[in-house]
Short mmCIF file of all heavy atoms in Angstrom, two decimals:
data_model
loop_
_atom_site.label_atom_id
_atom_site.label_comp_id
_atom_site.label_asym_id
_atom_site.label_seq_id
_atom_site.Cartn_x
_atom_site.Cartn_y
_atom_site.Cartn_z
N ASP A 24 -8.41 1.69 141.53
CA ASP A 24 -8.52 1.81 140.07
C ASP A 24 -7.46 2.75 139.50
O ASP A 24 -6.89 2.50 138.44
CB ASP A 24 -9.91 2.33 139.69
CG ASP A 24 -11.00 1.29 139.88
OD1 ASP A 24 -10.66 0.10 140.04
OD2 ASP A 24 -12.18 1.68 139.88
N MET A 25 -7.18 3.84 140.19
CA MET A 25 -6.21 4.81 139.69
C MET A 25 -4.79 4.24 139.68
O MET A 25 -4.04 4.44 138.73
CB MET A 25 -6.24 6.07 140.57
CG MET A 25 -5.28 7.16 140.12
SD MET A 25 -5.24 8.54 141.28
CE MET A 25 -6.96 9.07 141.23
N LEU A 26 -4.44 3.49 140.74
CA LEU A 26 -3.07 3.04 140.91
C LEU A 26 -2.88 1.56 140.58
O LEU A 26 -1.73 1.09 140.53
CB LEU A 26 -2.62 3.30 142.35
CG LEU A 26 -2.67 4.77 142.80
CD1 LEU A 26 -2.45 4.87 144.29
CD2 LEU A 26 -1.66 5.60 142.04
N ASP A 27 -3.97 0.81 140.43
CA ASP A 27 -3.92 -0.62 140.11
C ASP A 27 -3.14 -1.38 141.18
O ASP A 27 -2.19 -2.10 140.89
CB ASP A 27 -3.31 -0.85 138.73
CG ASP A 27 -3.53 -2.28 138.23
OD1 ASP A 27 -4.46 -2.94 138.74
OD2 ASP A 27 -2.77 -2.73 137.37
N VAL A 28 -3.54 -1.22 142.44
CA VAL A 28 -2.86 -1.87 143.55
C VAL A 28 -3.58 -3.16 143.93
O VAL A 28 -4.74 -3.38 143.56
CB VAL A 28 -2.74 -0.95 144.78
CG1 VAL A 28 -1.97 0.31 144.42
CG2 VAL A 28 -4.11 -0.59 145.34
N GLU A 29 -2.89 -3.98 144.73
CA GLU A 29 -3.42 -5.29 145.10
C GLU A 29 -3.95 -5.35 146.52
O GLU A 29 -4.62 -6.31 146.89
CB GLU A 29 -2.31 -6.35 144.98
CG GLU A 29 -1.68 -6.41 143.61
CD GLU A 29 -0.16 -6.35 143.65
OE1 GLU A 29 0.38 -5.67 144.55
OE2 GLU A 29 0.47 -6.99 142.80
N GLN A 30 -3.64 -4.33 147.33
CA GLN A 30 -4.08 -4.36 148.73
C GLN A 30 -4.61 -3.00 149.17
O GLN A 30 -4.11 -1.96 148.74
CB GLN A 30 -2.91 -4.73 149.66
CG GLN A 30 -2.38 -6.13 149.52
CD GLN A 30 -1.31 -6.42 150.57
OE1 GLN A 30 -1.53 -6.24 151.77
NE2 GLN A 30 -0.15 -6.86 150.13
N VAL A 31 -5.61 -3.05 150.04
CA VAL A 31 -6.07 -1.87 150.78
C VAL A 31 -5.91 -2.20 152.26
O VAL A 31 -6.44 -3.22 152.73
CB VAL A 31 -7.54 -1.53 150.46
CG1 VAL A 31 -8.02 -0.38 151.35
CG2 VAL A 31 -7.70 -1.19 148.99
N VAL A 32 -5.16 -1.36 152.97
CA VAL A 32 -4.85 -1.62 154.38
C VAL A 32 -5.35 -0.45 155.21
O VAL A 32 -5.15 0.71 154.85
CB VAL A 32 -3.33 -1.80 154.59
CG1 VAL A 32 -3.03 -2.17 156.04
CG2 VAL A 32 -2.78 -2.86 153.63
N PHE A 33 -6.00 -0.75 156.34
CA PHE A 33 -6.48 0.28 157.25
C PHE A 33 -5.70 0.22 158.56
O PHE A 33 -5.35 -0.86 159.04
CB PHE A 33 -7.97 0.10 157.54
CG PHE A 33 -8.87 0.41 156.39
CD1 PHE A 33 -9.37 -0.61 155.58
CD2 PHE A 33 -9.22 1.72 156.08
CE1 PHE A 33 -10.19 -0.34 154.50
CE2 PHE A 33 -10.04 2.00 155.01
CZ PHE A 33 -10.53 0.98 154.22
N GLY A 34 -5.45 1.39 159.14
CA GLY A 34 -4.78 1.45 160.43
C GLY A 34 -4.89 2.84 161.02
O GLY A 34 -5.56 3.72 160.48
N GLY A 35 -4.22 3.05 162.14
CA GLY A 35 -4.26 4.34 162.81
C GLY A 35 -5.04 4.29 164.10
O GLY A 35 -5.64 3.25 164.45
N PRO A 36 -5.06 5.39 164.86
CA PRO A 36 -5.67 5.40 166.19
C PRO A 36 -7.15 5.01 166.23
O PRO A 36 -7.62 4.48 167.23
CB PRO A 36 -5.47 6.86 166.65
CG PRO A 36 -4.32 7.36 165.86
CD PRO A 36 -4.39 6.66 164.54
N LEU A 37 -7.90 5.30 165.16
CA LEU A 37 -9.34 5.00 165.17
C LEU A 37 -9.66 3.60 164.68
O LEU A 37 -10.82 3.16 164.78
CB LEU A 37 -10.10 6.01 164.30
CG LEU A 37 -9.96 7.49 164.64
CD1 LEU A 37 -10.91 8.30 163.77
CD2 LEU A 37 -10.22 7.75 166.11
N TRP A 38 -8.67 2.91 164.15
CA TRP A 38 -8.96 1.66 163.46
C TRP A 38 -9.60 0.60 164.37
O TRP A 38 -10.55 -0.09 163.97
CB TRP A 38 -7.70 1.10 162.81
CG TRP A 38 -7.88 -0.28 162.23
CD1 TRP A 38 -7.21 -1.41 162.56
CD2 TRP A 38 -8.81 -0.66 161.21
NE1 TRP A 38 -7.65 -2.47 161.81
CE2 TRP A 38 -8.64 -2.04 160.99
CE3 TRP A 38 -9.78 0.04 160.48
CZ2 TRP A 38 -9.40 -2.74 160.06
CZ3 TRP A 38 -10.55 -0.67 159.56
CH2 TRP A 38 -10.35 -2.03 159.35
N SER A 39 -9.12 0.46 165.58
CA SER A 39 -9.66 -0.60 166.44
C SER A 39 -11.15 -0.41 166.70
O SER A 39 -11.88 -1.39 166.89
CB SER A 39 -8.89 -0.65 167.77
OG SER A 39 -9.06 0.55 168.50
N ARG A 40 -11.62 0.85 166.70
CA ARG A 40 -13.05 1.11 166.92
C ARG A 40 -13.89 0.82 165.67
O ARG A 40 -15.05 0.45 165.77
CB ARG A 40 -13.25 2.58 167.31
CG ARG A 40 -12.47 3.02 168.53
CD ARG A 40 -12.98 2.38 169.79
NE ARG A 40 -12.32 2.91 170.98
CZ ARG A 40 -12.48 2.42 172.20
NH1 ARG A 40 -13.28 1.38 172.39
NH2 ARG A 40 -11.85 2.94 173.23
N LEU A 41 -13.29 1.01 164.51
CA LEU A 41 -14.02 0.88 163.25
C LEU A 41 -13.84 -0.48 162.59
O LEU A 41 -14.54 -0.80 161.63
CB LEU A 41 -13.55 1.96 162.28
CG LEU A 41 -13.76 3.41 162.73
CD1 LEU A 41 -13.05 4.37 161.78
CD2 LEU A 41 -15.25 3.74 162.79
N GLU A 42 -12.93 -1.28 163.11
CA GLU A 42 -12.50 -2.50 162.43
C GLU A 42 -13.66 -3.44 162.11
O GLU A 42 -13.78 -3.95 160.99
CB GLU A 42 -11.46 -3.22 163.29
CG GLU A 42 -10.94 -4.49 162.69
CD GLU A 42 -9.83 -5.11 163.53
OE1 GLU A 42 -9.56 -4.61 164.65
OE2 GLU A 42 -9.22 -6.10 163.07
N ARG A 43 -14.52 -3.70 163.09
CA ARG A 43 -15.56 -4.70 162.88
C ARG A 43 -16.50 -4.30 161.74
O ARG A 43 -16.80 -5.10 160.85
CB ARG A 43 -16.36 -4.90 164.17
CG ARG A 43 -17.43 -5.98 164.05
CD ARG A 43 -18.15 -6.22 165.36
NE ARG A 43 -17.24 -6.71 166.40
CZ ARG A 43 -17.62 -7.05 167.62
NH1 ARG A 43 -18.91 -6.95 167.96
NH2 ARG A 43 -16.75 -7.47 168.51
N THR A 44 -16.94 -3.05 161.74
CA THR A 44 -17.84 -2.58 160.69
C THR A 44 -17.13 -2.53 159.34
O THR A 44 -17.66 -2.97 158.32
CB THR A 44 -18.40 -1.19 161.03
OG1 THR A 44 -19.14 -1.27 162.24
CG2 THR A 44 -19.30 -0.68 159.91
N PHE A 45 -15.92 -1.98 159.32
CA PHE A 45 -15.20 -1.82 158.05
C PHE A 45 -14.90 -3.15 157.39
O PHE A 45 -15.06 -3.29 156.17
CB PHE A 45 -13.90 -1.04 158.29
CG PHE A 45 -14.06 0.45 158.21
CD1 PHE A 45 -15.14 1.08 158.79
CD2 PHE A 45 -13.12 1.23 157.56
CE1 PHE A 45 -15.29 2.46 158.72
CE2 PHE A 45 -13.26 2.60 157.48
CZ PHE A 45 -14.36 3.22 158.06
N LEU A 46 -14.46 -4.13 158.16
CA LEU A 46 -14.10 -5.41 157.55
C LEU A 46 -15.32 -6.20 157.10
O LEU A 46 -15.20 -7.14 156.31
CB LEU A 46 -13.25 -6.24 158.52
CG LEU A 46 -11.85 -5.70 158.77
CD1 LEU A 46 -11.06 -6.66 159.65
CD2 LEU A 46 -11.10 -5.43 157.47
N ARG A 47 -16.49 -5.81 157.56
CA ARG A 47 -17.73 -6.42 157.05
C ARG A 47 -18.22 -5.71 155.79
O ARG A 47 -18.70 -6.35 154.85
CB ARG A 47 -18.80 -6.37 158.15
CG ARG A 47 -20.18 -6.85 157.69
CD ARG A 47 -21.13 -7.01 158.87
NE ARG A 47 -21.19 -5.81 159.69
CZ ARG A 47 -21.97 -4.76 159.44
NH1 ARG A 47 -22.75 -4.77 158.34
NH2 ARG A 47 -22.00 -3.73 160.24
N VAL A 48 -18.09 -4.39 155.75
CA VAL A 48 -18.70 -3.60 154.68
C VAL A 48 -17.75 -3.33 153.52
O VAL A 48 -18.12 -3.43 152.34
CB VAL A 48 -19.23 -2.26 155.24
CG1 VAL A 48 -19.75 -1.36 154.12
CG2 VAL A 48 -20.30 -2.51 156.28
N VAL A 49 -16.49 -2.98 153.82
CA VAL A 49 -15.59 -2.47 152.78
C VAL A 49 -15.12 -3.54 151.79
O VAL A 49 -15.15 -3.31 150.57
CB VAL A 49 -14.39 -1.75 153.41
CG1 VAL A 49 -13.41 -1.28 152.33
CG2 VAL A 49 -14.86 -0.56 154.24
N PRO A 50 -14.64 -4.73 152.24
CA PRO A 50 -14.07 -5.67 151.27
C PRO A 50 -14.99 -6.03 150.10
O PRO A 50 -14.54 -5.96 148.94
CB PRO A 50 -13.73 -6.89 152.13
CG PRO A 50 -13.48 -6.33 153.49
CD PRO A 50 -14.47 -5.22 153.63
N PRO A 51 -16.25 -6.40 150.32
CA PRO A 51 -17.07 -6.76 149.15
C PRO A 51 -17.30 -5.60 148.19
O PRO A 51 -17.39 -5.80 146.97
CB PRO A 51 -18.39 -7.26 149.76
CG PRO A 51 -18.40 -6.75 151.16
CD PRO A 51 -16.99 -6.63 151.59
N LEU A 52 -17.38 -4.37 148.73
CA LEU A 52 -17.60 -3.22 147.86
C LEU A 52 -16.37 -2.94 147.01
O LEU A 52 -16.49 -2.67 145.80
CB LEU A 52 -17.93 -1.98 148.71
CG LEU A 52 -19.28 -2.01 149.42
CD1 LEU A 52 -19.45 -0.79 150.32
CD2 LEU A 52 -20.42 -2.09 148.42
N VAL A 53 -15.19 -3.02 147.60
CA VAL A 53 -13.96 -2.78 146.84
C VAL A 53 -13.73 -3.91 145.84
O VAL A 53 -13.41 -3.67 144.66
CB VAL A 53 -12.75 -2.64 147.78
CG1 VAL A 53 -11.44 -2.57 146.99
CG2 VAL A 53 -12.89 -1.40 148.66
N GLN A 54 -13.90 -5.13 146.29
CA GLN A 54 -13.61 -6.28 145.42
C GLN A 54 -14.58 -6.40 144.26
O GLN A 54 -14.22 -6.88 143.19
CB GLN A 54 -13.60 -7.55 146.27
CG GLN A 54 -12.40 -7.62 147.21
CD GLN A 54 -12.60 -8.53 148.41
OE1 GLN A 54 -13.65 -9.14 148.56
NE2 GLN A 54 -11.60 -8.62 149.27
N SER A 55 -15.82 -5.94 144.44
CA SER A 55 -16.78 -6.00 143.34
C SER A 55 -16.70 -4.77 142.44
O SER A 55 -17.14 -4.81 141.28
CB SER A 55 -18.21 -6.14 143.88
OG SER A 55 -18.57 -4.98 144.63
N GLY A 56 -16.14 -3.68 142.96
CA GLY A 56 -16.10 -2.43 142.20
C GLY A 56 -14.82 -2.18 141.46
O GLY A 56 -14.77 -1.33 140.56
N ALA A 57 -13.73 -2.85 141.81
CA ALA A 57 -12.44 -2.60 141.18
C ALA A 57 -12.47 -2.97 139.70
O ALA A 57 -12.94 -4.05 139.33
CB ALA A 57 -11.34 -3.37 141.90
N VAL A 58 -11.96 -2.10 138.86
CA VAL A 58 -11.97 -2.32 137.42
C VAL A 58 -11.19 -3.58 137.04
O VAL A 58 -11.59 -4.35 136.15
CB VAL A 58 -11.40 -1.09 136.68
CG1 VAL A 58 -11.16 -1.40 135.21
CG2 VAL A 58 -12.35 0.09 136.82
N ALA A 59 -10.07 -3.81 137.71
CA ALA A 59 -9.18 -4.94 137.35
C ALA A 59 -9.49 -6.21 138.14
O ALA A 59 -8.66 -7.10 138.23
CB ALA A 59 -7.72 -4.54 137.56
N ARG A 60 -10.70 -6.30 138.69
CA ARG A 60 -11.02 -7.44 139.57
C ARG A 60 -10.94 -8.79 138.87
O ARG A 60 -10.70 -9.81 139.51
CB ARG A 60 -12.41 -7.26 140.17
CG ARG A 60 -13.53 -7.21 139.15
CD ARG A 60 -14.87 -6.87 139.80
NE ARG A 60 -15.95 -6.75 138.84
CZ ARG A 60 -16.22 -5.64 138.16
NH1 ARG A 60 -15.47 -4.57 138.34
NH2 ARG A 60 -17.22 -5.60 137.30
N GLU A 61 -11.14 -8.82 137.55
CA GLU A 61 -11.06 -10.08 136.82
C GLU A 61 -9.61 -10.48 136.52
O GLU A 61 -9.34 -11.60 136.09
CB GLU A 61 -11.83 -9.98 135.50
CG GLU A 61 -13.32 -9.68 135.65
CD GLU A 61 -14.05 -10.80 136.38
OE1 GLU A 61 -13.60 -11.95 136.29
OE2 GLU A 61 -15.07 -10.51 137.03
N ILE A 62 -8.68 -9.55 136.76
CA ILE A 62 -7.27 -9.80 136.46
C ILE A 62 -6.50 -10.15 137.72
O ILE A 62 -5.66 -11.05 137.73
CB ILE A 62 -6.64 -8.57 135.77
CG1 ILE A 62 -7.42 -8.26 134.48
CG2 ILE A 62 -5.15 -8.80 135.46
CD1 ILE A 62 -7.06 -6.92 133.86
N HIS A 63 -6.77 -9.45 138.80
CA HIS A 63 -6.10 -9.78 140.06
C HIS A 63 -7.03 -9.44 141.22
O HIS A 63 -7.82 -8.50 141.14
CB HIS A 63 -4.76 -9.03 140.21
CG HIS A 63 -4.90 -7.54 140.34
ND1 HIS A 63 -5.27 -6.91 141.51
CD2 HIS A 63 -4.70 -6.55 139.44
CE1 HIS A 63 -5.29 -5.60 141.33
NE2 HIS A 63 -4.96 -5.35 140.08
N PRO A 64 -6.95 -10.19 142.32
CA PRO A 64 -7.78 -9.89 143.48
C PRO A 64 -7.27 -8.66 144.22
O PRO A 64 -6.13 -8.25 144.06
CB PRO A 64 -7.64 -11.15 144.35
CG PRO A 64 -6.29 -11.69 143.98
CD PRO A 64 -6.11 -11.38 142.52
N VAL A 65 -8.14 -8.07 145.01
CA VAL A 65 -7.76 -6.95 145.88
C VAL A 65 -8.05 -7.36 147.32
O VAL A 65 -9.20 -7.61 147.68
CB VAL A 65 -8.53 -5.67 145.53
CG1 VAL A 65 -8.11 -4.54 146.46
CG2 VAL A 65 -8.30 -5.27 144.08
N GLU A 66 -6.99 -7.43 148.13
CA GLU A 66 -7.14 -7.79 149.54
C GLU A 66 -7.44 -6.53 150.35
O GLU A 66 -6.79 -5.50 150.16
CB GLU A 66 -5.85 -8.44 150.05
CG GLU A 66 -5.92 -8.84 151.52
CD GLU A 66 -4.60 -9.33 152.08
OE1 GLU A 66 -3.56 -9.16 151.39
OE2 GLU A 66 -4.60 -9.87 153.20
N VAL A 67 -8.39 -6.62 151.25
CA VAL A 67 -8.71 -5.52 152.16
C VAL A 67 -8.53 -6.03 153.59
O VAL A 67 -9.16 -7.03 153.97
CB VAL A 67 -10.16 -5.01 151.96
CG1 VAL A 67 -10.46 -3.86 152.92
CG2 VAL A 67 -10.37 -4.56 150.51
#
């Protein structure tokens, strides 16, 4: 919301352990909560 970006990307040493949970939980929360969601999609 602050920067009006189109993508959220996760990575780093812990990512492989968290990937399954994050990709299930995070995308719908970000995509439904973003202020500009009706103007452009946000990929996670």
Side-chain angles (χ1 to χ4, degrees):
D24 288 345
M25 181 186 300
L26 301 170
D27 194 20
V28 300
E29 303 129 327
Q30 293 185 54
V31 175
V32 184
F33 290 98
L37 303 187
W38 173 240
S39 63
R40 303 292 186 187
L41 299 170
E42 180 176 7
R43 183 176 297 183
T44 299
F45 272 43
L46 291 185
R47 174 170 52 85
V48 174
V49 177
L52 292 175
V53 173
Q54 290 158 0
S55 64
V58 169
R60 62 186 177 276
E61 300 296 332
I62 302 169
H63 66 78
V65 180
E66 180 187 12
V67 180

